[in-house]
Amino acid sequence: MKSAGRMGIHYLQKLHASNVPKELVEIGQNRVIEASLTLIRERAKLKGELVRALGGTAASTSLLGVPLGHNSSFLQGPAFAPPRIREAMWCGSTNSTTEEGKELNDPRILTDVGDVPVQELRDSGVDDDRLMSIISESVKLVMEEDPLRPLVLGGDHSISYPVVRAVSEKLGGPIDILHLDAHPDIYHAFEGNKYSHASSFARIMEGGYARRLLQVGIRSINKEGREQGKRFGVEQYEMRTFSRDREYLENLKLGEGVKGVYISVDLDCMDPAFAPGVSHIEPGGLSFRDVLNILHNLQADVVGADVVEFNPQRDTVDGMTAMVAAKLVRELTAKISKWPAVIPNL
């Protein structure tokens, strides 16, 4: 996977070695970028028009895939995750109703605008500075089609930075973030890479895009992770104290006084017994129901979310982790979308 991830860089080097004028390379790159953004723009317009025509929806979830894996420090399999998550969502082994009764077949609840063509952009020699901007712009294109709100399918965790940046900028101010993960992902620049999946929340906090950052499920954290957490005022809840913190975390109320709440779920927040298909297996994590309890009970206006770090190359033969990721996407959709649903009395 390392060689595939570097394909775009090698292609650009070949162009330079062939003495292709820099101006021609840039013109070609700009065409690919514009084509990529046009695809997302037109799909978002189509889905937004449909939802608005149906009417009565204050917020509707729209999936956006970002198949990026090259900023992973270990394995790059998360680049293959978005289509596997979609396949699991609609595989027919379960119905399309969320636990609280929202029907995913209704476009007022869920639409899909496709993927940012990450590999095609990198094949054209687009570097990470521009790639992050393209991801941000793609998210903004979705949000322009009110009432669509983005639910992003990763990809490694580096995608959270450009997505959160876009959401905050589009809404005009900082947001609160609920981040479920085994790791704080707050290194200044892990292994010298400012866009590393282990540094995404450092970039978010530096940019002032979040007022509060709550990190839940943490169980692999070193001195720098704690120091960076203190520097940015991060609320870090480690698994070693989860039994003590459970009642608070399962009754969170976030977003008062800011533009909304963003949820980022790294699948390795869960114990590998529940989600083995991740790059960084870290025992001692949350159960799947722990995660759902936190999400279901959260009181917040959720303006966007991502599900990241699913690695299909490490999943079980029967696709267990894909189904876990799909279920999370379904329940996050229910949290974001605001359309009446019949909820039985328990």
Side-chain angles (χ1 to χ4, degrees):
M1 294 321 304
K2 291 284 186 181
S3 59
R6 296 189 181 119
M7 189 182 300
I9 297 171
H10 290 167
Y11 181 69
L12 186 60
Q13 289 172 343
K14 289 179 181 178
L15 290 178
H16 288 322
S18 301
N19 295 317
V20 175
K22 181 180 179 181
E23 294 77 13
L24 286 180
V25 174
E26 290 179 351
I27 290 171
Q29 289 174 345
N30 290 336
R31 287 200 304 266
V32 173
I33 291 170
E34 182 54 36
S36 301
L37 292 174
T38 297
L39 179 62
I40 299 298
R41 181 186 299 112
E42 295 306 318
R43 290 187 61 130
K45 281 184 178 179
L46 176 63
K47 302 306 171 68
E49 288 168 355
L50 172 61
V51 173
R52 289 190 295 271
L54 291 170
T57 308
S60 176
T61 304
S62 194
L63 300 182
L64 173 67
V66 183
L68 186 157
H70 65 273
N71 282 320
S72 176
S73 60
F74 181 43
L75 300 174
Q76 298 188 3
F80 300 100
R84 296 297 297 274
I85 296 173
R86 290 186 178 98
E87 179 184 14
M89 285 182 67
W90 306 110
C91 71
S93 72
T94 184
N95 62 50
S96 59
T97 305
T98 69
E99 289 195 2
E100 62 177 37
K102 291 184 177 177
E103 176 53 61
L104 299 186
N105 282 325
D106 188 331
R108 290 167 293 192
I109 302 297
L110 180 65
T111 56
D112 192 335
V113 300
D115 292 351
V116 177
V118 173
Q119 191 58 56
E120 289 80 359
L121 289 161
R122 298 194 77 234
D123 285 350
S124 302
V126 173
D127 63 21
D128 264 8
D129 287 333
R130 297 182 78 187
L131 182 58
M132 294 296 161
S133 294
I134 294 164
I135 295 169
S136 291
E137 184 61 26
S138 298
V139 172
K140 290 179 181 179
L141 290 172
V142 173
M143 296 180 70
E144 283 177 6
E145 297 300 323
D146 188 65
L148 301 187
R149 294 184 177 185
L151 201 174
V152 179
L153 309 179
D156 68 44
H157 221 151
S158 68
I159 70 165
S160 292
Y161 165 57
V163 175
V164 169
R165 178 176 65 183
V167 172
S168 175
E169 289 179 348
K170 192 66 179 174
L171 294 176
I175 54 180
D176 286 348
I177 300 176
L178 174 60
H179 169 206
L180 285 75
D181 202 326
H183 318 87
D185 291 351
I186 204 164
Y187 285 99
H188 174 66
F190 190 70
E191 296 180 339
N193 179 8
K194 67 179 180 179
Y195 294 127
S196 169
H197 69 157
S199 300
S200 50
F201 287 91
R203 302 289 84 76
I204 288 168
M205 300 308 289
E206 286 173 352
Y209 302 118
R211 178 190 64 174
R212 292 180 67 187
L213 171 58
L214 284 75
Q215 298 184 319
V216 180
I218 304 298
R219 57 195 186 279
S220 179
I221 183 171
N222 61 13
K223 181 180 179 182
E224 182 177 352
R226 290 193 172 91
E227 289 176 347
Q228 286 280 87
K230 291 179 181 177
R231 173 190 171 194
F232 293 119
V234 180
E235 301 165 53
Q236 295 176 329
Y237 295 92
E238 299 184 38
M239 283 307 300
R240 61 194 176 93
T241 61
F242 182 69
S243 59
R244 182 187 68 197
D245 301 328
R246 178 192 292 273
E247 183 175 356
Y248 172 71
L249 295 173
E250 291 185 353
N251 294 279
L252 289 171
K253 186 175 183 179
L254 301 175
E256 291 184 337
V258 291
K259 299 296 182 177
V261 174
Y262 185 91
I263 301 174
S264 181
V265 182
D266 184 323
L267 290 190
D268 69 25
C269 71
M270 287 173 280
D271 191 272
F274 300 93
V278 296
S279 297
H280 298 267
I281 293 173
E282 192 68 42
L286 298 163
S287 74
F288 186 74
R289 185 51 59 179
D290 289 334
V291 173
L292 286 192
N293 286 344
I294 291 169
L295 297 179
H296 285 163
N297 296 331
L298 172 66
Q299 298 180 57
D301 179 21
V302 181
V303 294
D306 63 56
V307 174
V308 298
E309 296 289 353
F310 166 44
N311 185 344
Q313 295 177 326
R314 302 196 89 183
D315 203 2
T316 58
V317 174
D318 58 357
M320 171 182 170
T321 314
M323 293 301 293
V324 168
K327 173 85 169 184
L328 284 172
V329 170
R330 293 154 68 94
E331 298 306 311
L332 283 168
T333 295
K335 200 70 185 177
I336 294 170
S337 297
K338 296 178 180 178
W339 174 251
V342 178
I343 304 175
N345 293 323
L346 300 178

